[in-house]
């Protein structure tokens, strides 16, 4: 089934925040620091304030004096440092793009012109942009109350057991890796529009959010100190998020404050140049990773030490990403008995870092799968056979890893075999040998991955530091005509929920899918929910919808029993009708049931009128999608150019609801993973200036960087949710970066190159080849 939401998107009739215009609306422009680190000695706003058309110039001190609090973080570790993060800074600028003032004017152009007139007397200070540099003694402190820049340290696993395993290992390998920093670059830039209703002392905020209720909670309860019911947050159509629109951003607070101050609606929309320096970035790890094996080629231990750059401020879920979403995934698909991971998370004078599609799991998969390939070659084994030897067998589930997670279900070897058969792995290896004789350098990268998504249950994540629940809600409302409204706390910003969720409800109720409509993205209409991220919408949000729908069916059976003068247990729901078991002529349609539920003229005395149900679903465990991805590349040794020749994925997300949507999710994720492997990197100079802050210098994948992706799947249902579904939104990104990295390194193996850091730009690859050739010539 094609996506029902697409016609409005591809015809330009979607309704995005920046499309909205309210009577009397004015515009905001932000004055941003050009320095990564500077003391703010004085701000003179007089020229800007007197500029024609300017209505207000707002400073951080003004908002602080008005009682606007710091932006909180949503995940806490023991001993974590949480320095304040005000919407507008007033003492120091801590990264390029930090807001130092906001100008509100009649038009956007006037606001932006006047922003240039705000005179800020900066005292530039030394800055640090690399995580490892920030940890050195004497490094510039980002926050005065965190002089060593260490926000937190975290570890998981049995260090003593791991050290013993390494001490007695048959072989060990060690890699020093850098997981390059990425800029999210959602198609729609962030935007916010705030309106204050003086008569009721209420606010409405339209914003580009993946989780409107979280925004409302943080803003009302913690930042502005207003009753939660006084703020309505609406996230209309949102053009992509990839994690970057989960978080609470300063601009949303500023437009709300300004709307009340001026009594007029205030809108702000990011320019792309602002997005590069203010949307929370992703990845940015420096890691030393080691693997140990015994004489039988079995992995005995993995040891990881990571420096995770957090940027200048803690954002909403930043502490969770390099810890529980990373260290807990280091078992991968393997039976590794001992794992230890230590993380040090420093502040730096760079844009804050938080979740980006996959959030910790691509980082874990990348380092683990690189280690697996390097170890396989160290042992003289084919990388696939080394993987196969170490895979968790299908009869081992539920499988308890040594890093906290208990995998629910899986059949990794069958999935791997299917991928190898479809891609023709043996033939590819033969072709590779033939090409090498011809001076052509083909590389084959194979990855078996797992991800933990649908974060749950709430009590568990709460014990780990989450300041939020992880359940999800749904309200299913049947109207008198039998049409159905489904209200969900999740949010669709490209995933296709309006189609997939409607399909499931229609299937449960046995009615046409056109009779079902999904409502989301509005705290004024939906029951409370936690939004969409971490591939949680299907396993968690859709589970809530299914269980609410089944309550509808149960009630409908009681109504039918009354109308048909039968016992409720004798009513069956088949072919879209509620009928007496064994008497198909004695039946009522869904429309007849819905109408009578609302008329209640002939109705069971012990039933409430109406036909709607709410369900709050708190999962028993995470869900664990898995799969195998295979990348085939060719490296041109004369230019260093990497060309993707083939890409095949076999994913297992349990039963697939909508194959077209699932495949589209995988395709998009693979493109993003390819971007990290070959093209993308947010590069900072040592003084904290971003050097790749626009599309001339930050290269996104284009159509001609990709190939026709081959996709298939296996089906291993999740045993603990009603549909057996797992997530698929992040799978492509989690696997593809590592698959392409392994393929490039495989292509470069004849040159004796064991490892390069991403992205594999032509220059980097070419230089590595030249160094190798010079070294070989010298030998």
């Amino acid at each position: 089934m094609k996506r029902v939401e697409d016609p409005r998107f591809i015809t330009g009739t979607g309704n995005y925040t920046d499309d909205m215009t309210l009577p009397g609306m004015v515009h905001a422009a932000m004055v941003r620091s050009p320095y990564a680190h500077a003391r703010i000695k004085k701000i003179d706003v007089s020229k800007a304030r007197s500029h024609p058309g300017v209505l207000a110039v707002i400073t951080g001190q003004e908002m602080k004096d008005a009682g606007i609090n710091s932006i909180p973080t949503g995940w806490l570790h023991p001993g974590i440092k949480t320095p304040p993060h005000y919407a507008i800074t007033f003492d120091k600028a801590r990264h390029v793009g930090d807001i130092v003032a906001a100008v509100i004017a009649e038009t956007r152009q006037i606001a932006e012109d006047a922003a240039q007139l705000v005179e800020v007397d900066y005292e530039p200070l030394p800055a640090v942009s690399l995580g490892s540099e920030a940890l050195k003694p004497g490094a510039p402190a980002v926050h005065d109350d965190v002089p060593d820049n260490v926000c937190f340290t975290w570890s998981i696993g049995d260090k003593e057991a791991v050290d013993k395993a390494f001490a007695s290992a048959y072989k060990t390998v060690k890699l020093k890796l850098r997981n390059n920093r990425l800029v999210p670059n959602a198609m729609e830039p962030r935007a916010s529009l705030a309106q204050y209703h003086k008569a009721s002392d209420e606010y409405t905020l339209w914003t580009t959010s993946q989780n409107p209720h979280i925004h409302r909670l943080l803003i009302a309860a913690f930042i502005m100190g207003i009753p939660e019911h006084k703020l309505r947050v609406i996230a209309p159509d949102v053009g992509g998020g990839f994690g970057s629109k989960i978080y609470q951003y300063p601009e949303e607070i500023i437009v709300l404050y300004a709307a009340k101050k001026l009594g007029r609606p205030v809108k702000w929309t990011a320019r792309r140049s602002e997005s590069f320096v203010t949307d929370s970035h992703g990845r940015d790890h420096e890691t030393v990773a080691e693997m140990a094996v015994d004489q039988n080629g079995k992995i005995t231990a993995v040891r990881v030490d990571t420096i995770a750059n957090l940027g200048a401020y803690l954002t909403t879920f930043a502490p969770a990403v390099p810890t529980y979403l990373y260290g807990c995934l280091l078992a991968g698909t393997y039976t590794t008995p001992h794992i230890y991971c230590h993380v040090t998370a420093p502040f730096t004078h760079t844009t804050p870092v938080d979740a980006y599609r996959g959030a910790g799991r691509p980082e874990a998969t990348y380092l683990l799968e690189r280690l697996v390939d390097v170890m396989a070659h160290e042992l003289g084994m084919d990388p696939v056979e080394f993987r196969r030897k170490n895979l968790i067998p299908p009869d081992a589930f539920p499988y308890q890893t040594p890093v906290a997670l208990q995998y629910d279900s899986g059949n990794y070897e069958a999935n791997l075999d299917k991928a190898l058969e479809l891609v023709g792995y043996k033939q590819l290896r033969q072709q590779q040998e033939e090409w090498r004789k011809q001076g052509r350098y083909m590389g084959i990268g194979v990855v078996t991955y797992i991800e933990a998504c649908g974060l749950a249950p709430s009590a568990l994540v709460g014990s780990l530091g989450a300041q939020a629940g992880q359940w999800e809600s749904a309200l299913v409302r049947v109207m008198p005509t039998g049409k159905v409204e489904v209200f969900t706390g999740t949010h669709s910003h490209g995933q296709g929920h309006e189609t997939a969720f409607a399909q499931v409800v229609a299937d449960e109720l046995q009615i046409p899918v056109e009779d079902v409509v999904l409502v989301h993205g509005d705290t004024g209409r939906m029951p409370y929910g936690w939004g969409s991220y971490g591939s949680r919408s299907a396993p968690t949000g859709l589970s809530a919808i299914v269980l609410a729908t089944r309550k509808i069916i149960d009630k409908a059976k009681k109504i039918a029993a009354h109308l048909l003068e039968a016992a409720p247990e004798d009513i069956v729901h088949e072919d879209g009708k509620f009928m007496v078991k064994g008497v198909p002529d004695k039946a009522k349609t869904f429309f007849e049931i819905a109408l009578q539920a609302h008329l209640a003229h002939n109705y069971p005395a012990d039933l409430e009128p109406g036909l709607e149900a709410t369900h709050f679903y708190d999962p028993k465990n995470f869900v664990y999608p898995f799969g195998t991805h295979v990348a085939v590349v060719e490296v041109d040794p004369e230019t260093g150019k990497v060309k993707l020749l083939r890409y095949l994925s076999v994913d297992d997300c349990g039963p697939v609801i909508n194959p077209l949507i699932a495949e589209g999710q995988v395709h998009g994720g693979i493109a993003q993973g390819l971007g990290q492997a070959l093209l993308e990197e947010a590069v900072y100079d040592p003084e904290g200036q971003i050097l790749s802050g626009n599309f001339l210098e930050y290269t996104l994948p284009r159509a001609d960087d990709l190939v026709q992706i081959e996709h298939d799947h296996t089906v291993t249902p999740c045993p603990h949710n009603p549909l057996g579904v797992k997530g698929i939104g992040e799978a492509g990104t989690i696997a593809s970066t590592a698959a392409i990295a392994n393929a490039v390194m495989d292509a470069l193996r004849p040159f004796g190159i064991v490892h390069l850091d991403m992205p594999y730009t032509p220059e980097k690859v070419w230089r590595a080849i030249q160094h190798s050739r010079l070294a070989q010539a010298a030998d």
Side-chain angles (χ1 to χ4, degrees), residues 679-747:
L679 303 165
E680 300 180 46
E681 185 171 22
V683 180
Y684 281 88
D685 71 11
E687 285 73 42
Q689 292 290 336
I690 188 167
L691 303 178
S692 53
N694 57 61
F695 285 139
L696 288 175
E697 291 143 345
Y698 188 97
T699 313
L700 288 178
R702 301 180 304 183
D704 62 355
D705 292 312
L706 291 155
V707 293
Q708 186 67 38
I709 294 169
E710 303 161 65
H711 177 69
D712 210 322
H713 60 270
T714 55
V715 179
T716 310
C718 165
H720 57 78
N721 68 47
L723 293 176
V725 296
K726 306 177 180 182
I728 193 65
E730 296 162 305
T733 314
I734 290 169
S736 59
T737 302
I740 293 168
N742 279 345
V744 174
M745 289 303 106
D746 187 51

Side-chain angles (χ1 to χ4, degrees), residues 465-681:
Q467 305 298 295
Q470 288 298 321
W471 48 266
E472 196 46 77
S473 67
L475 166 63
V476 178
R477 176 178 295 156
V478 182
M479 291 178 273
T481 56
K483 309 302 181 188
V484 180
E485 288 182 313
V486 178
F487 300 80
T488 175
T490 64
H491 185 273
S492 184
H493 35 277
Q495 295 92 335
H497 293 177
E498 293 173 36
T499 306
F501 287 13
Q503 281 183 270
V504 171
V505 172
D507 188 58
E508 290 280 331
L509 295 175
Q510 301 173 22
I511 60 176
V513 69
E514 295 80 11
D515 288 355
V516 182
V517 64
L518 185 75
V519 181
H520 63 95
D522 184 346
T523 62
R525 299 186 67 190
M526 301 144 21
Y528 202 97
W530 295 100
S532 290
Y533 48 85
S535 299
R536 69 185 300 273
S537 296
T540 308
L542 189 53
S543 291
I545 290 172
V546 167
L547 293 172
T549 305
R550 290 178 182 175
K551 290 179 180 177
I552 296 281
I553 294 170
D554 288 343
K555 185 174 181 180
K557 286 182 177 178
K558 293 176 181 176
I559 298 170
H562 176 83
L563 295 173
L564 297 169
E565 298 180 342
E569 56 270 24
D570 289 336
I571 300 297
V572 295
H573 182 211
E574 293 178 0
D575 300 327
K577 296 179 180 178
F578 293 85
M579 63 183 72
V580 178
K581 191 184 303 180
V583 191
D585 292 340
K586 202 171 181 182
K588 293 291 180 183
T589 66
F590 186 66
F591 163 71
E592 291 172 313
I593 299 289
L595 184 62
Q596 196 53 238
H598 288 81
L599 297 178
H601 293 168
N602 180 14
Y603 202 70
D606 58 347
L607 275 189
E608 296 177 348
L611 195 55
E612 66 178 56
T614 299
H615 195 91
F616 293 81
Y617 177 74
D618 199 350
K620 296 177 181 177
N621 192 359
F622 296 73
V623 293
Y624 297 93
F626 61 90
T628 303
H629 285 213
V630 183
V632 183
V633 305
E634 182 179 9
V635 173
D636 183 339
E638 304 309 317
T639 65
K641 173 73 174 176
V642 177
K643 182 178 182 181
L644 184 65
L645 301 178
R646 286 185 68 187
Y647 198 97
L648 178 134
S649 72
V650 177
D651 299 283
D652 193 321
C653 61
V656 177
I657 297 168
N658 184 311
L660 183 66
I661 290 176
E663 191 168 344
Q665 291 268 31
V666 173
H667 283 198
I670 289 169
Q672 284 183 293
L674 176 141
Q676 175 170 16
L678 299 183
L679 303 165
E680 300 180 46
E681 185 171 22

Side-chain angles (χ1 to χ4, degrees), residues 326-392:
Y326 170 66
C328 296
L329 273 297
L330 290 173
T333 57
Y334 309 114
T335 56
T336 310
H338 303 296
I339 299 172
Y340 178 72
C341 175
H342 182 266
V343 176
T344 305
F347 292 112
T348 63
H349 294 101
T350 60
T351 299
V353 179
D354 207 311
Y356 174 65
R357 198 170 187 174
R361 291 150 291 180
E363 294 93 310
T365 302
Y366 169 66
L367 81 81
L368 182 62
E369 292 298 304
R370 286 293 301 122
L371 280 175
V372 167
D373 257 30
V374 172
M375 178 58 86
H377 286 289
E378 183 70 19
L379 293 170
M381 293 179 65
D382 184 285
V384 164
E385 293 314 309
F386 181 60
R387 283 179 170 81
R388 189 189 304 280
K389 181 183 281 288
N390 285 282
L391 288 177
I392 299 167

Side-chain angles (χ1 to χ4, degrees), residues 33-39 92-96 123-143 149 309 311-312 347-351 684-690:
S33 171
Y35 297 101
H37 191 200
R39 194 180 316 281
K92 282 183 176 178
R94 294 180 175 83
H95 69 94
V96 172
E123 177 189 349
L125 299 169
V128 62
S129 57
L130 192 63
S132 55
E133 293 294 325
L135 296 175
K136 290 182 177 178
V142 180
H143 299 276
N149 287 321
N309 191 339
F347 292 112
T348 63
H349 294 101
T350 60
T351 299
Y684 281 88
D685 71 11
E687 285 73 42
Q689 292 290 336
I690 188 167

